[in-house]
């Protein structure tokens, strides 16, 4: 009987998902998912996951109120699931009749099982230790929610809210662009798209600015050359938010004409002043160990220290680790030989278009051979 029930529910889920991608405005209220029959959210195509998440959220948690739930458990006095628990946890608690287990809808949608392999009771296997569901601080359902504002469960609930807000914004945008746009105003030209991205960028930066307020913050700065041969300086702000948690926010990418300390300083001052961030609130700066960055007299850290005496310099710990790994790898003969040969191969192949084409042909022939002997699978 259970296998037949599983089969029926699986067909309903599959048909509903087919309906999801064939209709522009599917009616999600006509069916409630039993998500324990459907595959895990991560098994779906990455381009479809958000749409499937929206369908689950709009349908709501699967909460069947049965006249009688089966007894389960290996203890002396088996217990049952109680429908009144739905009233206590209406936004997330689910129950699967086929597995006789409880699940968490937000965690199923956003908490990857492979990210936390030891915490899959409410997402993969299901929870059915009903004796642990009781009043008091040791209640398993209360522990699943957690008291901390940044608990895993509350993060997934916020992700659900963000996804639905995003969906509402997309509907509002769709009302004025593409097929519904007046005349030829489809807003798809490169200039318009760049302008829209610029608006998004400013909104994000303003949100970060509001998050910092007038609090103290630290700078993390690095510069590098991009593919277009332009020197770009990345700026990250590190601060403590209202909840007392340490945050790092990427704040901007600034094109600089050269990598001198004075030029980099001017770029930093322009970004901070443009967003009304007081340089006197800087309480630390981190960058690599290049001379233009850490120079004691004319380096970037020295110039910033002149304007803000509390902006103490710290050599980036990630860069220190990289330098240590490079130095250690030079002492390991096999690793040193590997990278030496790899550099030579890259230089030889990259310097000649003919060699590059020959390498691509050899790789294509090798892949074709591997497919022919079933060592590789072909597909989209």
């Amino acid at each position: 009987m259970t296998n037949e029930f599983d089969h029926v529910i699986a067909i309903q889920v599959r048909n509903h998902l087919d309906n999801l991608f064939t209709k522009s405005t599917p009616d999600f209220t006509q069916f409630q998912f039993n998500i324990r029959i459907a595959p895990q959210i991560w098994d779906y195509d990455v381009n479809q996951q958000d749409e499937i998440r929206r369908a689950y959220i709009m349908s709501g948690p699967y909460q069947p109120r049965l006249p009688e739930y089966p007894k389960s458990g290996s203890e002396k006095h088996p217990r049952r699931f109680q429908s009144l628990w739905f009233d206590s946890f209406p936004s997330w608690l689910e129950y699967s009749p086929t597995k006789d287990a409880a699940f968490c809808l937000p965690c199923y949608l956003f908490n990857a099982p492979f990210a936390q392999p030891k915490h899959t009771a409410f997402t993969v296997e299901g929870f059915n230790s009903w004796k642990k569901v009781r009043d008091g601080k040791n209640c398993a359902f209360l522990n699943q929610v957690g008291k901390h504002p940044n608990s895993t469960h509350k993060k997934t609930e916020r992700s659900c809210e963000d996804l639905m807000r995003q969906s509402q914004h997309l509907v509002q945008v769709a009302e004025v662009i593409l097929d519904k746009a007046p005349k030829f105003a489809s807003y798809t030209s490169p200039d318009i798209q760049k302008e829209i991205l610029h608006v998004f960028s400013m909104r994000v930066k303003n949100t970060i600015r509001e998050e910092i307020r007038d609090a103290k913050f630290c700078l993390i700065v690095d510069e590098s050359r991009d593919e277009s041969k332009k020197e770009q300086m990345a700026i990250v702000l590190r601060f403590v938010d209202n909840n007392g948690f340490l945050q790092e926010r990427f704040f901007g990418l600034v094109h600089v004409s050269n990598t001198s300390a004075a030029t980099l300083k001017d770029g930093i001052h322009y970004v901070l002043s443009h967003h009304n961030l007081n340089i006197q609130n800087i309480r630390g700066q981190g960058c690599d160990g290049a001379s233009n960055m850490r120079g004691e007299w004319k380096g970037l850290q020295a110039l910033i220290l002149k304007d803000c005496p509390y902006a103490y310099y710290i050599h980036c710990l990630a860069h220190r680790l990289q330098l240590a790994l490079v130095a250690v790898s030079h002492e390991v003969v096999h690793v040193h030989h590997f990278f030496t040969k790899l550099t030579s191969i890259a230089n030889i192949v990259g310097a000649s278009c003919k060699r590059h084409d020959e390498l691509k042909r050899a790789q294509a022939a090798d892949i074709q051979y591997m497919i022919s002997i079933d060592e590789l699978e072909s597909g989209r």
Side-chain angles (χ1 to χ4, degrees):
M1 181 67 181
T2 302
N3 292 335
E4 293 178 359
F5 183 77
D6 289 354
H7 181 66
V8 171
I9 294 295
I11 292 176
Q12 289 179 320
V13 171
R14 184 187 62 190
N15 292 339
H16 193 75
L17 291 176
D18 291 340
N19 180 62
L20 169 63
F21 298 111
T22 55
K23 292 185 179 181
S24 57
T25 56
D27 184 7
F28 298 113
T29 61
Q30 295 179 0
F31 179 78
Q32 278 194 318
F33 288 108
N34 184 347
I35 65 174
R36 295 309 122 218
I37 307 301
Q40 289 290 309
I41 193 70
W42 310 105
D43 295 334
Y44 292 104
D45 185 270
V46 66
N47 297 318
Q48 298 177 346
Q49 288 178 8
D50 280 350
E51 288 297 327
I52 296 174
R53 286 189 179 106
R54 291 190 186 97
Y56 283 133
I57 295 172
M58 295 179 69
S59 175
Y62 185 70
Q63 299 179 342
R65 296 181 181 269
L66 306 179
E68 186 177 76
Y69 295 89
K71 291 183 178 180
S72 61
S74 58
E75 62 269 13
K76 184 177 180 180
H77 301 288
R79 292 173 170 82
R80 306 175 188 267
F81 181 87
Q82 304 295 324
S83 60
L84 58 87
W85 293 336
F86 290 142
D87 300 327
S88 301
F89 307 96
S91 63
W92 63 269
L93 181 61
E94 293 193 317
Y95 175 78
S96 172
T98 58
K99 288 192 173 184
D100 184 32
F103 296 88
C104 174
L105 177 61
C107 292
Y108 163 77
L109 296 178
F110 289 96
N111 189 18
F114 46 80
Q116 293 182 326
K118 295 182 180 180
H119 301 84
T120 58
F122 283 90
T123 57
V124 181
E125 292 87 1
F127 174 85
N128 60 0
S129 299
W130 310 130
K131 67 177 182 179
K132 296 183 179 179
V133 183
R134 56 182 180 273
D135 295 333
K137 62 181 181 180
N138 293 324
C139 174
F141 289 167
L142 291 176
N143 291 335
Q144 165 65 14
V145 176
K147 297 181 180 180
H148 200 281
N150 273 356
S151 67
T152 301
H153 176 85
K154 292 182 179 178
K155 285 182 179 179
T156 58
E157 285 190 329
R158 288 197 294 268
S159 297
C160 291
E161 296 172 359
D162 293 341
L163 183 64
M164 295 311 296
R165 280 196 295 266
Q166 178 187 10
S167 177
Q168 295 173 359
H169 292 326
L170 292 176
V171 171
Q172 296 173 358
V173 172
E175 292 178 353
V176 295
I177 66 171
L178 301 177
D179 296 338
K180 298 182 181 180
K183 294 184 178 181
F184 300 104
S186 59
Y187 306 103
T188 57
S189 71
D191 293 339
I192 294 298
Q193 291 182 350
K194 288 181 180 179
E195 185 175 347
I196 293 174
L197 289 176
H198 176 70
V199 173
F200 288 163
S201 172
M202 294 305 299
R203 287 290 298 272
V204 171
K205 290 180 180 179
N206 289 337
T207 301
I208 297 174
R209 175 64 184 87
E210 293 173 0
E211 204 175 4
I212 297 176
R213 307 178 319 282
D214 294 327
K216 313 304 180 184
F217 60 92
C218 298
L219 287 176
I220 303 177
V221 181
D222 195 12
E223 49 82 21
S224 180
R225 180 181 300 179
D226 62 14
E227 289 294 327
S228 62
K229 308 303 180 185
K230 291 182 178 180
E231 290 289 348
Q232 305 280 8
M233 177 175 60
I235 300 176
V236 175
L237 301 183
R238 183 180 173 94
F239 59 95
V240 178
D241 63 14
N242 291 331
N243 297 320
F245 295 101
L246 191 62
Q247 304 289 353
E248 286 187 1
R249 299 283 188 253
F250 173 73
F251 199 68
L253 198 63
V254 184
H255 170 57
V256 290
S257 57
N258 57 71
T259 58
S260 65
T263 303
L264 299 180
K265 175 194 170 186
D266 292 340
I268 293 173
H269 278 212
Y270 170 78
V271 172
L272 297 182
S273 62
H274 188 69
H275 293 88
N276 296 321
L277 288 167
N278 190 351
I279 194 173
Q280 296 299 324
N281 287 334
I282 300 177
R283 288 298 181 269
Q285 49 176 318
C287 50
D288 59 27
S291 59
N292 63 329
M293 292 290 195
R294 65 175 300 176
E296 186 176 356
W297 305 108
K298 296 184 179 180
L300 175 63
Q301 64 94 10
L303 298 180
I304 294 179
L305 271 173
K306 289 181 181 179
D307 297 333
C308 181
Y310 302 105
Y312 299 109
Y313 164 75
I314 297 177
H315 187 179
C316 176
L317 297 181
H319 186 249
R320 286 185 178 182
L321 177 61
Q322 180 191 14
L323 294 177
L325 291 176
V326 171
V328 170
S329 65
H330 287 168
E331 301 300 323
V332 181
V333 177
H334 296 294
V335 175
H336 179 70
H337 287 173
F338 170 78
F339 282 104
T340 301
K341 293 181 179 179
L342 180 63
T343 302
S344 301
I345 293 173
N347 291 336
I348 292 172
V349 175
S352 171
C353 296
K354 181 179 179 180
R355 298 191 193 106
H356 186 267
D357 292 338
E358 289 178 353
L359 180 63
K360 290 180 64 177
R361 284 194 294 269
Q363 184 184 20
D366 185 55
I367 292 175
Q368 185 176 2
Y369 172 73
M370 297 293 285
I371 293 176
S372 66
I373 62 175
D374 295 329
E375 287 292 329
L376 287 178
E377 293 183 0
S378 61
R380 188 174 59 180

